[in-house]
Amino acid sequence: IQARITLDGIITVVDAKHCLQHLHEEKPDGVENEAVEQLAFADRIIVNKTDLVTETELAELTREIRKINGVAPMIYTQNSNVQVDEIIGIRGFSLDRVLESDAGFLKDDQDHQHDQSVSSVGIECAGECDQEKLNSWIATLLRERGTDIFRTKGVLAVKGCDQRFVFQGIHMIFGGQPQNDWGGEERINKLIFIGRNLDREELHRGFQATLA
């Protein structure tokens, strides 16, 4: 079965009329908001029933979704009418796909209020990572915060390596490998985290400390 089937990506379908009330729903302590988590994990977000809301309501919904997941493309539709090529061939778990992504995959919610639990944090900076420091930081981060980090991916410049280090992960499962030479391009590190209670300054400081 494994040879015939591959996990292409995670698609989340949103009810444009009722989604906001579920996103804002108060849950008892220890109970997660499943609507928020489904958006956070998504590689594609289909916003359905757009004919049942006003343009203002749709804009508000879009802003709320982008606070949770600033990465996944959003498809607006009625009656779930979606082109097949928009939801097939996503390659959401392909390291090659990370390289093909444009700078938009780093968009986060820097204006997002910190009292919201799920958010995305993007990091972009020049320089080269020290391999030992990088491994130590990632291992510690995933060990201590892995349950709160839903998705992460990025392209890094590692000192002494002529190729980009491309990685992605879900919770504490992490994978990466060198791909494609940098050539004459400037070595720019790009990372994105989507998760619960992320501390932007802590993540930035932690990554900066890995630079050689």
Side-chain angles (χ1 to χ4, degrees), residues 40 54 68 76 93 100-101 115 124:
T54 65
I68 299 167
Y76 299 90
F93 297 90
E100 293 171 6
S101 300
D115 59 355
E124 181 172 0

Side-chain angles (χ1 to χ4, degrees), residues 2-130:
Q2 186 176 7
R4 295 172 177 267
I5 299 175
T6 184
L7 179 58
D8 189 37
I10 298 172
I11 300 172
T12 296
V13 181
V14 170
D15 182 330
K17 182 67 175 178
H18 302 105
C19 182
L20 280 178
Q21 70 185 60
H22 292 297
L23 294 180
H24 296 155
E25 184 178 356
E26 293 290 337
K27 296 287 187 179
D29 290 343
V31 178
E32 304 301 337
N33 188 319
E34 293 183 358
V36 172
E37 292 196 350
Q38 288 177 26
L39 285 170
F41 278 108
D43 295 297
R44 289 285 188 282
I45 299 171
I46 300 175
V47 182
N48 193 37
K49 302 183 181 179
T50 56
D51 54 320
L52 301 183
V53 296
T54 65
E55 290 186 5
T56 300
E57 290 171 330
L58 188 59
E60 180 184 1
L61 175 59
T62 298
R63 286 193 297 270
E64 290 300 312
I65 291 174
R66 281 302 180 216
K67 290 176 182 179
I68 299 167
N69 188 331
V71 181
M74 296 176 63
I75 303 168
Y76 299 90
T77 186
Q78 301 173 16
N79 299 316
S80 298
N81 185 12
V82 179
Q83 296 296 318
V84 173
D85 59 3
E86 292 183 300
I87 57 174
I88 299 295
I90 295 173
R91 294 159 58 212
F93 297 90
S94 167
L95 292 177
D96 291 323
R97 182 71 181 89
V98 177
L99 278 180
E100 293 171 6
S101 300
D102 60 22
F105 93 87
L106 274 177
K107 291 180 180 177
D108 65 11
D109 56 327
Q110 295 185 24
D111 297 325
H112 188 33
Q113 298 299 313
H114 292 284
D115 59 355
Q116 299 293 324
S117 62
V118 176
S119 61
S120 55
V121 174
I123 299 174
E124 181 172 0
C125 68
E128 295 181 316
C129 300
D130 179 277

Side-chain angles (χ1 to χ4, degrees), residues 146-164:
T147 56
D148 287 334
I149 298 175
F150 301 153
R151 300 287 297 269
T152 180
K153 63 180 177 179
V155 180
L156 303 177
V158 177
K159 185 177 180 180
C161 181
D162 294 330
Q163 295 178 303
R164 298 167 172 83

Side-chain angles (χ1 to χ4, degrees), residues 131-141 143:
Q131 183 73 65
E132 185 174 342
K133 293 179 180 178
L134 178 65
N135 290 342
S136 176
W137 177 64
I138 291 177
T140 301
L141 183 64
R143 182 176 64 249

